[in-house]
Short mmCIF file of all heavy atoms in Angstrom, two decimals:
data_model
loop_
_atom_site.label_atom_id
_atom_site.label_comp_id
_atom_site.label_asym_id
_atom_site.label_seq_id
_atom_site.Cartn_x
_atom_site.Cartn_y
_atom_site.Cartn_z
N LEU V 29 2.76 -13.43 -27.55
CA LEU V 29 3.49 -12.36 -26.99
C LEU V 29 4.64 -11.92 -27.95
O LEU V 29 4.84 -10.69 -27.91
CB LEU V 29 4.03 -12.91 -25.66
CG LEU V 29 2.99 -13.22 -24.58
CD1 LEU V 29 3.69 -13.82 -23.33
CD2 LEU V 29 2.17 -11.99 -24.14
N GLN V 30 5.28 -12.75 -28.53
CA GLN V 30 6.40 -12.32 -29.44
C GLN V 30 5.91 -11.36 -30.51
O GLN V 30 6.52 -10.37 -30.78
CB GLN V 30 7.01 -13.62 -30.11
CG GLN V 30 8.14 -13.31 -31.01
CD GLN V 30 9.32 -12.79 -30.25
OE1 GLN V 30 9.64 -13.25 -29.14
NE2 GLN V 30 10.03 -11.80 -30.81
N ASN V 31 4.63 -11.62 -31.01
CA ASN V 31 4.02 -10.82 -32.03
C ASN V 31 3.49 -9.43 -31.50
O ASN V 31 3.48 -8.42 -32.22
CB ASN V 31 3.05 -11.54 -32.87
CG ASN V 31 3.65 -12.60 -33.67
OD1 ASN V 31 4.73 -12.45 -34.12
ND2 ASN V 31 2.98 -13.74 -33.79
N ILE V 32 2.97 -9.48 -30.32
CA ILE V 32 2.22 -8.33 -29.76
C ILE V 32 3.01 -7.33 -29.01
O ILE V 32 2.77 -6.16 -28.96
CB ILE V 32 1.01 -8.73 -28.94
CG1 ILE V 32 -0.07 -7.64 -28.82
CG2 ILE V 32 1.45 -9.26 -27.53
CD1 ILE V 32 -1.35 -8.12 -28.24
N LEU V 33 4.16 -7.80 -28.50
CA LEU V 33 5.19 -6.99 -27.73
C LEU V 33 6.16 -6.43 -28.66
O LEU V 33 6.84 -7.21 -29.34
CB LEU V 33 5.76 -7.71 -26.58
CG LEU V 33 4.78 -8.34 -25.52
CD1 LEU V 33 5.61 -9.12 -24.48
CD2 LEU V 33 3.97 -7.22 -24.85
N SER V 34 6.42 -5.15 -28.68
CA SER V 34 7.46 -4.57 -29.55
C SER V 34 8.81 -5.01 -28.96
O SER V 34 8.90 -5.43 -27.79
CB SER V 34 7.38 -3.03 -29.61
OG SER V 34 7.88 -2.49 -28.40
N ASP V 35 9.80 -5.06 -29.85
CA ASP V 35 11.09 -5.43 -29.38
C ASP V 35 11.71 -4.67 -28.27
O ASP V 35 12.45 -5.15 -27.41
CB ASP V 35 12.08 -5.45 -30.65
CG ASP V 35 11.81 -6.61 -31.57
OD1 ASP V 35 11.08 -7.57 -31.20
OD2 ASP V 35 12.30 -6.50 -32.71
N ASN V 36 11.30 -3.36 -28.14
CA ASN V 36 11.84 -2.53 -27.10
C ASN V 36 10.72 -2.27 -26.02
O ASN V 36 10.75 -1.35 -25.29
CB ASN V 36 12.31 -1.17 -27.66
CG ASN V 36 11.25 -0.37 -28.36
OD1 ASN V 36 10.18 -0.95 -28.66
ND2 ASN V 36 11.61 0.76 -28.78
N PHE V 37 9.86 -3.28 -25.90
CA PHE V 37 8.78 -3.23 -24.86
C PHE V 37 9.39 -3.01 -23.44
O PHE V 37 10.42 -3.58 -23.12
CB PHE V 37 7.97 -4.48 -24.97
CG PHE V 37 7.00 -4.64 -23.76
CD1 PHE V 37 5.75 -4.02 -23.78
CD2 PHE V 37 7.31 -5.40 -22.66
CE1 PHE V 37 4.86 -4.13 -22.75
CE2 PHE V 37 6.41 -5.52 -21.53
CZ PHE V 37 5.20 -4.85 -21.62
N LYS V 38 8.64 -2.22 -22.63
CA LYS V 38 8.94 -2.13 -21.28
C LYS V 38 7.68 -2.05 -20.41
O LYS V 38 6.72 -1.49 -20.89
CB LYS V 38 9.82 -0.81 -21.04
CG LYS V 38 10.26 -0.65 -19.63
CD LYS V 38 11.26 0.51 -19.55
CE LYS V 38 12.45 0.04 -20.29
NZ LYS V 38 13.79 0.42 -19.75
N GLU V 39 7.75 -2.64 -19.21
CA GLU V 39 6.64 -2.61 -18.33
C GLU V 39 7.11 -2.16 -16.96
O GLU V 39 8.16 -2.63 -16.42
CB GLU V 39 5.99 -4.01 -18.17
CG GLU V 39 4.83 -3.93 -17.19
CD GLU V 39 3.96 -5.23 -17.17
OE1 GLU V 39 3.86 -5.90 -18.20
OE2 GLU V 39 3.38 -5.45 -16.10
N PHE V 40 6.31 -1.21 -16.39
CA PHE V 40 6.49 -0.91 -15.01
C PHE V 40 5.34 -1.61 -14.27
O PHE V 40 4.13 -1.16 -14.36
CB PHE V 40 6.34 0.63 -14.79
CG PHE V 40 7.41 1.53 -15.32
CD1 PHE V 40 7.29 2.87 -15.29
CD2 PHE V 40 8.58 0.96 -15.90
CE1 PHE V 40 8.29 3.68 -15.80
CE2 PHE V 40 9.64 1.79 -16.33
CZ PHE V 40 9.50 3.10 -16.37
N ILE V 46 10.54 -3.42 -13.03
CA ILE V 46 10.59 -3.05 -14.41
C ILE V 46 10.92 -4.24 -15.19
O ILE V 46 11.91 -4.98 -14.84
CB ILE V 46 11.56 -1.85 -14.69
CG1 ILE V 46 11.19 -0.63 -13.88
CG2 ILE V 46 11.65 -1.53 -16.14
CD1 ILE V 46 12.29 0.44 -13.86
N PHE V 47 10.22 -4.51 -16.34
CA PHE V 47 10.36 -5.75 -17.17
C PHE V 47 10.66 -5.36 -18.58
O PHE V 47 10.02 -4.42 -19.14
CB PHE V 47 9.07 -6.56 -17.15
CG PHE V 47 8.72 -7.11 -15.76
CD1 PHE V 47 7.74 -6.37 -15.05
CD2 PHE V 47 9.27 -8.22 -15.22
CE1 PHE V 47 7.40 -6.83 -13.80
CE2 PHE V 47 8.89 -8.65 -13.94
CZ PHE V 47 7.96 -7.97 -13.25
N SER V 48 11.61 -6.02 -19.20
CA SER V 48 11.82 -5.94 -20.63
C SER V 48 10.88 -7.01 -21.33
O SER V 48 10.20 -7.73 -20.65
CB SER V 48 13.28 -6.31 -20.91
OG SER V 48 13.50 -7.72 -20.68
N LYS V 49 10.91 -6.95 -22.66
CA LYS V 49 10.11 -7.97 -23.41
C LYS V 49 10.51 -9.43 -23.00
O LYS V 49 9.62 -10.23 -22.66
CB LYS V 49 10.28 -7.79 -24.87
CG LYS V 49 9.51 -8.77 -25.74
CD LYS V 49 9.70 -8.54 -27.20
CE LYS V 49 8.91 -9.51 -28.07
NZ LYS V 49 8.97 -9.15 -29.53
N ALA V 50 11.79 -9.79 -23.02
CA ALA V 50 12.20 -11.13 -22.62
C ALA V 50 11.73 -11.42 -21.20
O ALA V 50 11.34 -12.59 -20.95
CB ALA V 50 13.68 -11.19 -22.82
N GLU V 51 11.94 -10.45 -20.33
CA GLU V 51 11.66 -10.77 -18.88
C GLU V 51 10.17 -10.95 -18.65
O GLU V 51 9.82 -11.93 -17.94
CB GLU V 51 12.09 -9.61 -17.99
CG GLU V 51 13.62 -9.52 -17.97
CD GLU V 51 14.14 -8.12 -17.34
OE1 GLU V 51 13.43 -7.18 -17.45
OE2 GLU V 51 15.17 -8.28 -16.74
N ILE V 52 9.32 -10.17 -19.33
CA ILE V 52 7.86 -10.33 -19.10
C ILE V 52 7.48 -11.66 -19.80
O ILE V 52 6.50 -12.30 -19.27
CB ILE V 52 7.05 -9.10 -19.58
CG1 ILE V 52 5.73 -9.08 -18.88
CG2 ILE V 52 6.87 -9.04 -21.06
CD1 ILE V 52 5.73 -8.76 -17.45
N MET V 53 7.99 -12.01 -20.93
CA MET V 53 7.61 -13.33 -21.60
C MET V 53 8.00 -14.47 -20.70
O MET V 53 7.18 -15.42 -20.47
CB MET V 53 8.28 -13.35 -22.94
CG MET V 53 7.65 -12.43 -23.96
SD MET V 53 8.41 -12.53 -25.61
CE MET V 53 7.97 -14.19 -26.09
N LYS V 78 0.09 7.00 -35.57
CA LYS V 78 0.40 5.53 -35.50
C LYS V 78 0.43 5.06 -34.02
O LYS V 78 0.59 3.89 -33.75
CB LYS V 78 1.78 5.22 -35.99
CG LYS V 78 1.93 5.45 -37.48
CD LYS V 78 3.35 4.89 -38.02
CE LYS V 78 4.44 5.30 -37.13
NZ LYS V 78 5.78 4.82 -37.60
N THR V 79 0.29 5.96 -33.02
CA THR V 79 0.46 5.66 -31.63
C THR V 79 -0.76 6.02 -30.79
O THR V 79 -1.33 7.14 -30.96
CB THR V 79 1.65 6.44 -31.05
OG1 THR V 79 2.79 6.22 -31.98
CG2 THR V 79 2.08 5.88 -29.72
N SER V 104 -1.35 1.64 -21.33
CA SER V 104 -0.57 1.03 -22.37
C SER V 104 -0.32 2.01 -23.47
O SER V 104 -1.25 2.78 -23.79
CB SER V 104 -1.20 -0.26 -22.87
OG SER V 104 -1.37 -1.26 -21.96
N ILE V 105 0.84 1.91 -24.06
CA ILE V 105 0.97 2.66 -25.26
C ILE V 105 1.22 1.72 -26.43
O ILE V 105 2.08 0.83 -26.34
CB ILE V 105 2.30 3.62 -25.12
CG1 ILE V 105 2.07 4.62 -24.08
CG2 ILE V 105 2.52 4.31 -26.51
CD1 ILE V 105 3.17 5.57 -23.74
N TRP V 106 0.42 1.84 -27.44
CA TRP V 106 0.44 0.94 -28.59
C TRP V 106 0.78 1.71 -29.78
O TRP V 106 0.50 2.88 -29.97
CB TRP V 106 -0.97 0.42 -28.84
CG TRP V 106 -1.57 -0.60 -27.83
CD1 TRP V 106 -2.06 -0.22 -26.70
CD2 TRP V 106 -1.48 -1.95 -27.90
NE1 TRP V 106 -2.43 -1.35 -25.93
CE2 TRP V 106 -2.05 -2.40 -26.77
CE3 TRP V 106 -1.02 -2.86 -28.82
CZ2 TRP V 106 -2.21 -3.84 -26.45
CZ3 TRP V 106 -1.17 -4.16 -28.55
CH2 TRP V 106 -1.71 -4.69 -27.38
N SER V 107 1.56 1.02 -30.72
CA SER V 107 1.96 1.63 -31.92
C SER V 107 1.75 0.71 -33.10
O SER V 107 1.93 -0.55 -33.01
CB SER V 107 3.45 2.09 -31.93
OG SER V 107 3.77 2.78 -33.09
N ARG V 108 1.40 1.15 -34.28
CA ARG V 108 1.24 0.42 -35.49
C ARG V 108 2.58 0.25 -36.07
O ARG V 108 3.20 1.15 -36.53
CB ARG V 108 0.19 1.04 -36.44
CG ARG V 108 -0.35 -0.02 -37.38
CD ARG V 108 -1.44 0.52 -38.23
NE ARG V 108 -2.73 0.72 -37.68
CZ ARG V 108 -3.61 -0.25 -37.48
NH1 ARG V 108 -3.30 -1.53 -37.82
NH2 ARG V 108 -4.83 -0.02 -36.99
N ILE V 109 3.11 -1.00 -36.03
CA ILE V 109 4.48 -1.31 -36.52
C ILE V 109 4.31 -2.35 -37.62
O ILE V 109 3.78 -3.47 -37.37
CB ILE V 109 5.37 -1.84 -35.36
CG1 ILE V 109 5.48 -0.73 -34.28
CG2 ILE V 109 6.75 -2.32 -35.87
CD1 ILE V 109 6.19 -1.23 -33.02
N ASN V 110 4.77 -1.97 -38.82
CA ASN V 110 4.67 -2.88 -39.96
C ASN V 110 3.19 -3.29 -40.16
O ASN V 110 2.95 -4.43 -40.49
CB ASN V 110 5.53 -4.04 -39.84
CG ASN V 110 6.93 -3.70 -39.80
OD1 ASN V 110 7.45 -2.76 -40.49
ND2 ASN V 110 7.80 -4.40 -38.96
N ASP V 112 0.77 -3.80 -38.02
CA ASP V 112 0.16 -4.45 -36.85
C ASP V 112 0.37 -3.63 -35.60
O ASP V 112 1.33 -2.97 -35.35
CB ASP V 112 0.75 -5.87 -36.65
CG ASP V 112 0.57 -6.83 -37.80
OD1 ASP V 112 -0.60 -6.77 -38.34
OD2 ASP V 112 1.48 -7.50 -38.16
N TRP V 113 -0.62 -3.78 -34.65
CA TRP V 113 -0.56 -3.11 -33.40
C TRP V 113 0.41 -3.83 -32.51
O TRP V 113 0.33 -5.07 -32.38
CB TRP V 113 -1.97 -3.09 -32.69
CG TRP V 113 -2.87 -2.10 -33.27
CD1 TRP V 113 -3.94 -2.30 -33.88
CD2 TRP V 113 -2.79 -0.64 -33.21
NE1 TRP V 113 -4.60 -1.21 -34.29
CE2 TRP V 113 -3.88 -0.16 -33.85
CE3 TRP V 113 -1.82 0.22 -32.67
CZ2 TRP V 113 -4.10 1.25 -34.00
CZ3 TRP V 113 -2.06 1.57 -32.78
CH2 TRP V 113 -3.17 2.06 -33.45
N GLN V 114 1.34 -3.15 -31.88
CA GLN V 114 2.28 -3.72 -30.92
C GLN V 114 2.28 -2.76 -29.77
O GLN V 114 2.28 -1.60 -29.88
CB GLN V 114 3.70 -3.90 -31.48
CG GLN V 114 3.84 -5.02 -32.49
CD GLN V 114 5.25 -5.27 -32.82
OE1 GLN V 114 6.12 -4.39 -32.80
NE2 GLN V 114 5.51 -6.54 -33.24
N ILE V 115 2.52 -3.38 -28.58
CA ILE V 115 2.58 -2.62 -27.35
C ILE V 115 4.03 -2.25 -27.04
O ILE V 115 4.92 -3.01 -27.04
CB ILE V 115 1.88 -3.43 -26.21
CG1 ILE V 115 1.75 -2.60 -24.95
CG2 ILE V 115 2.60 -4.70 -25.83
CD1 ILE V 115 0.87 -3.17 -23.90
N LEU V 116 4.19 -0.90 -26.85
CA LEU V 116 5.48 -0.37 -26.50
C LEU V 116 5.76 -0.30 -25.03
O LEU V 116 6.92 -0.49 -24.60
CB LEU V 116 5.68 1.06 -27.05
CG LEU V 116 5.44 1.17 -28.62
CD1 LEU V 116 5.48 2.70 -28.95
CD2 LEU V 116 6.59 0.53 -29.37
N PHE V 117 4.67 0.02 -24.31
CA PHE V 117 4.88 0.27 -22.83
C PHE V 117 3.60 -0.04 -22.15
O PHE V 117 2.48 0.09 -22.61
CB PHE V 117 5.25 1.78 -22.68
CG PHE V 117 5.32 2.19 -21.17
CD1 PHE V 117 6.41 1.94 -20.48
CD2 PHE V 117 4.23 2.82 -20.57
CE1 PHE V 117 6.52 2.27 -19.09
CE2 PHE V 117 4.31 3.15 -19.20
CZ PHE V 117 5.47 2.85 -18.49
N HIS V 118 3.75 -0.60 -20.90
CA HIS V 118 2.67 -0.90 -20.09
C HIS V 118 2.93 -0.57 -18.59
O HIS V 118 4.11 -0.82 -18.18
CB HIS V 118 2.21 -2.34 -20.21
CG HIS V 118 1.04 -2.71 -19.35
ND1 HIS V 118 -0.28 -2.31 -19.70
CD2 HIS V 118 0.90 -3.36 -18.14
CE1 HIS V 118 -1.12 -2.78 -18.81
NE2 HIS V 118 -0.39 -3.36 -17.81
N GLN V 119 1.89 -0.01 -17.86
CA GLN V 119 2.13 0.17 -16.48
C GLN V 119 0.91 -0.20 -15.72
O GLN V 119 -0.20 0.09 -16.15
CB GLN V 119 2.42 1.72 -16.26
CG GLN V 119 2.71 1.97 -14.73
CD GLN V 119 3.19 3.37 -14.41
OE1 GLN V 119 3.50 4.08 -15.40
NE2 GLN V 119 3.33 3.77 -13.17
#
Side-chain angles (χ1 to χ4, degrees):
L29 294 174
Q30 184 66 37
N31 291 325
I32 201 169
L33 301 177
S34 75
D35 288 340
N36 59 352
F37 172 81
K38 185 167 292 214
E39 177 170 334
F40 291 174
I46 299 172
F47 300 96
S48 67
K49 178 178 182 174
E51 291 167 331
I52 202 70
M53 286 180 66
K78 295 188 318 183
T79 311
S104 300
I105 298 176
W106 291 85
S107 186
R108 203 175 278 284
I109 300 171
N110 298 322
D112 296 318
W113 287 111
Q114 288 189 331
I115 189 168
L116 301 171
F117 175 80
H118 181 76
Q119 181 170 353

